[in-house]
Amino acid sequence: MNNEQQAAASGGKFENIKQIEADARGRMEKVLADLQHEISTVRTGRASIGLLDSVRVDAYGSVMPLNQVAQLHVPEPALITVQPWDSSTISAIEKAIRSADLGLNPSNDGKLIRVPVPPLTEDRRRELAKKVSHIAEERRVSLRNVRRDANDHLKKLLKDKLISEDEERQALDGIQKLTDGNIAKVDQIAKAKEKEILEFK
């Protein structure tokens, strides 16, 4: 859902500053949640069940997320184990992991799938750090778009004489502070992830 659709979905009509602030806060929180989720799927060289979030398994006549057909564990830093709920799905699960373009090479013993997480090369680490930086920049742009929408709504309230210029100025300041705070969180999350990618051996 893009920002325009979100604005439409939120009614696009606000009667006071509180509604505008609450809408902006909610949308910014969603941007951060999306960032956390997307960044968790980026490899760091350390095994994490988040690595397999994008894997979809063809089972029972439909395509399902891996965590709905198996239990995932990280018994050691460079290994993920996948325990199917139903052993008849084991080859479909192994095939799904292999074809998910994650550079992983699973193997199974008939009951359990072992997914070794190979160490990252320096080049691959730099590529992944760049990817994280790109994801973070997209989220910063999303936050600024939310700010722009909120500011437009505030200007409209002023134009319709529902708030005073002082109230508008205060509210614009509040929205700016909210935006700055969330951009700082994006920076923090991205920096921590980049550090993890570049330093974990």
Side-chain angles (χ1 to χ4, degrees):
M1 190 186 267
N2 64 28
N3 287 310
E4 284 68 27
Q5 287 167 322
Q6 279 176 330
S10 61
K13 185 155 175 54
F14 297 97
E15 286 156 25
N16 60 44
I17 291 170
K18 272 196 171 56
Q19 287 175 344
I20 293 170
E21 286 172 342
D23 178 70
R25 189 169 286 110
R27 286 173 62 195
M28 287 188 187
E29 278 166 11
K30 189 179 178 314
V31 169
L32 282 185
D34 287 349
L35 170 71
Q36 293 271 25
H37 175 73
E38 195 170 349
I39 269 186
S40 75
T41 66
V42 177
R43 276 189 60 188
T44 59
R46 184 194 295 273
S48 142
I49 58 176
L51 284 181
L52 301 177
D53 274 359
S54 61
V55 176
R56 297 287 175 270
V57 182
D58 205 341
Y60 312 114
S62 66
V63 178
M64 307 159 86
L66 177 59
N67 63 10
Q68 286 185 11
V69 293
Q71 188 164 18
L72 308 177
H73 287 291
V74 178
E76 46 195 82
L79 181 72
I80 303 171
T81 58
V82 181
Q83 176 81 61
W85 304 124
D86 171 357
S87 58
S88 72
T89 60
I90 200 159
S91 58
I93 292 171
E94 188 178 348
K95 185 177 168 217
I97 295 169
R98 213 178 280 282
S99 58
D101 195 26
L102 296 168
L104 299 171
N105 195 12
S107 62
N108 82 74
D109 60 9
K111 292 195 183 77
L112 185 74
I113 298 171
R114 286 181 173 74
V115 188
V117 178
L120 296 168
T121 64
E122 281 307 313
D123 284 352
R124 186 74 181 123
R125 285 174 194 277
R126 278 195 289 274
E127 259 173 55
L128 291 171
K130 214 175 278 179
K131 181 179 177 179
V132 166
S133 172
H134 176 69
I135 292 168
E137 185 49 39
E138 284 179 341
R139 294 306 183 275
R140 287 185 204 100
V141 170
S142 297
L143 290 170
R144 291 185 194 113
N145 288 342
V146 174
R147 175 188 62 192
R148 185 200 59 212
D149 288 350
N151 289 351
D152 288 349
H153 290 307
L154 288 168
K155 288 186 183 107
K156 187 166 178 350
L157 288 187
L158 178 67
K159 187 168 158 260
D160 294 346
K161 300 196 169 30
L162 293 168
I163 58 172
S164 69
E165 283 185 16
D166 277 355
E167 286 172 320
E168 185 212 26
R169 196 173 305 116
Q170 269 182 328
L172 288 170
D173 281 352
I175 294 291
Q176 185 59 52
K177 281 198 185 84
L178 183 66
T179 308
D180 292 343
N182 280 295
I183 285 178
K185 284 180 195 167
V186 168
D187 295 345
Q188 206 180 342
I189 293 165
K191 202 168 282 166
K193 184 71 174 188
E194 284 173 26
K195 186 167 185 254
E196 203 183 337
I197 291 168
L198 295 169
E199 290 180 5
F200 179 75
K201 296 284 187 279

